[in-house]
Amino acid sequence: RKEVEQDPGPFNVPEGATVAFNCTYSNSASQSFFWYRQDCRKEPKLLMSVYSSGNEDGRFTAQLNRASQYISLLIRDSKLSDSATYLCVVNNRGDSSYKLIFGSGTRLLVRP
Amino acid sequence: DARVTQTPRHKVTEMGQEVTMRCQPILGHNTVFWYRQTMMQGLELLAYFRNRAPLDDSGMPKDRFSAEMPDATLATLKIQPSEPRDSAVYFCASGPGSIGRAIYEQYFGPGTRLTVT
């Protein structure tokens, strides 16, 4: 079983739609969580950290469910520019603690 | 706008040649990471440093790869000799590595696209 699992997609949605991605992680000791965004042929970029209380940044909302060991990312009012691959990322307590474990990514295509 | 920089951005070389990739982390960051990304394997961690000391290089083929941090502003990744299977995008990332909520965040450079023929 992979440490971080994501649906690879692609999610194909029209502009203005709301789309949600989920990600599950296997290590219950995981302590820090992130969503990164990667455009084609570009580097991963930190989109947002995910806090226990959940957090929102404009059209993006991230939630953490520790009991079920999953993280979600909600994108409202999708824009064409949101088309990218979204990487779910986890840090594990006590395991060379600065390492991040990256999921394989979920691809989002926003169409006009 | 602080960024991680990497050179070269593209490198084409023949099998058997030495390849050196360089990275300048964000000023003040004390963790530096080297990753490799291919379509088949996704993003793989090769090695990382904290305060210039190597902490983990278990993801790196030791016989041909080496990673160093000669000073706080420069990290290098060398492949000698290079092989066609080393063709990939190599990313460097740096992070604050200090107390606080941002401790584990990582910021990536633009990558070096390596092709070994």
Side-chain angles (χ1 to χ4, degrees), chain A residues 31 36 38 43 49 97-98, chain B residues 37 48 50 104-106 109:
Chain A
Q31 61 177 352
Y36 277 71
Q38 187 171 24
E43 73 273 22
S49 301
S97 60
Y98 294 95
Chain B
Q37 188 173 39
Y48 82 97
R50 183 169 187 262
Y104 301 116
E105 291 178 359
Q106 293 181 21

Side-chain angles (χ1 to χ4, degrees), chain A residues 38-57:
Chain A
Q38 187 171 24
D39 293 277
C40 188
R41 300 178 73 84
K42 297 286 189 180
E43 73 273 22
K45 292 184 178 177
L46 178 62
L47 181 64
M48 56 198 307
S49 301
V50 186
Y51 304 124
S52 296
S53 54
N55 46 306
E56 185 175 311
D57 183 2

Side-chain angles (χ1 to χ4, degrees), chain A residues 36-107:
Chain A
Y36 277 71
R37 167 200 171 123
Q38 187 171 24
D39 293 277
C40 188
R41 300 178 73 84
K42 297 286 189 180
E43 73 273 22
K45 292 184 178 177
L46 178 62
L47 181 64
M48 56 198 307
S49 301
V50 186
Y51 304 124
S52 296
S53 54
N55 46 306
E56 185 175 311
D57 183 2
R59 298 182 293 108
F60 298 83
T61 300
Q63 296 281 349
L64 169 63
N65 185 318
R66 284 189 183 273
S68 301
Q69 295 181 207
Y70 80 78
I71 309 150
S72 64
L73 178 68
L74 182 77
I75 306 175
R76 290 180 298 278
D77 189 22
S78 300
K79 311 292 184 191
L80 295 177
S81 58
D82 293 334
S83 297
T85 296
Y86 291 83
L87 304 169
C88 175
V89 185
V90 168
N91 166 266
N92 293 332
R93 178 191 297 274
D95 170 24
S96 298
S97 60
Y98 294 95
K99 286 171 65 172
L100 295 181
I101 312 297
F102 285 78
S104 300
T106 297
R107 192 169 169 214

Side-chain angles (χ1 to χ4, degrees), chain A residues 10-51:
Chain A
F11 285 61
N12 192 324
V13 303
E15 266 189 295
T18 295
V19 62
F21 309 135
N22 285 336
C23 157
T24 58
Y25 59 95
S26 60
N27 190 334
S28 59
S30 297
Q31 61 177 352
S32 296
F33 310 90
F34 308 92
W35 284 101
Y36 277 71
R37 167 200 171 123
Q38 187 171 24
D39 293 277
C40 188
R41 300 178 73 84
K42 297 286 189 180
E43 73 273 22
K45 292 184 178 177
L46 178 62
L47 181 64
M48 56 198 307
S49 301
V50 186
Y51 304 124

